[in-house]
Amino acid sequence: MITYLLGKLGEWLERAEQRRREAHLSNAKDLADIERRMNYLDRNA
């Protein structure tokens, strides 16, 4: 049961992180801004 709950918690955290990253990228003004933001996320992951 604990293993199942930890697995579900991990999935939830991964989805939350993905939504945070997508929100950050969606605020980009242009292609260069998207690239800067992607590089930032890659370096600070």
Side-chain angles (χ1 to χ4, degrees):
M1 181 67 168
I2 296 293
T3 304
Y4 173 79
L5 291 174
L6 289 175
K8 287 297 182 183
L9 177 61
E11 291 172 12
W12 181 81
L13 291 172
E14 287 177 20
R15 285 193 308 270
E17 177 64 14
Q18 182 65 30
R19 285 190 301 270
R20 185 189 69 79
R21 288 173 167 265
E22 288 173 359
H24 180 68
L25 292 174
S26 71
N27 290 326
K29 306 296 184 225
D30 55 26
L31 183 57
D33 192 18
I34 290 173
E35 290 177 355
R36 278 191 298 275
R37 289 170 183 254
M38 289 174 67
N39 287 332
Y40 174 81
L41 291 172
D42 286 343
R43 284 191 311 269
N44 297 302

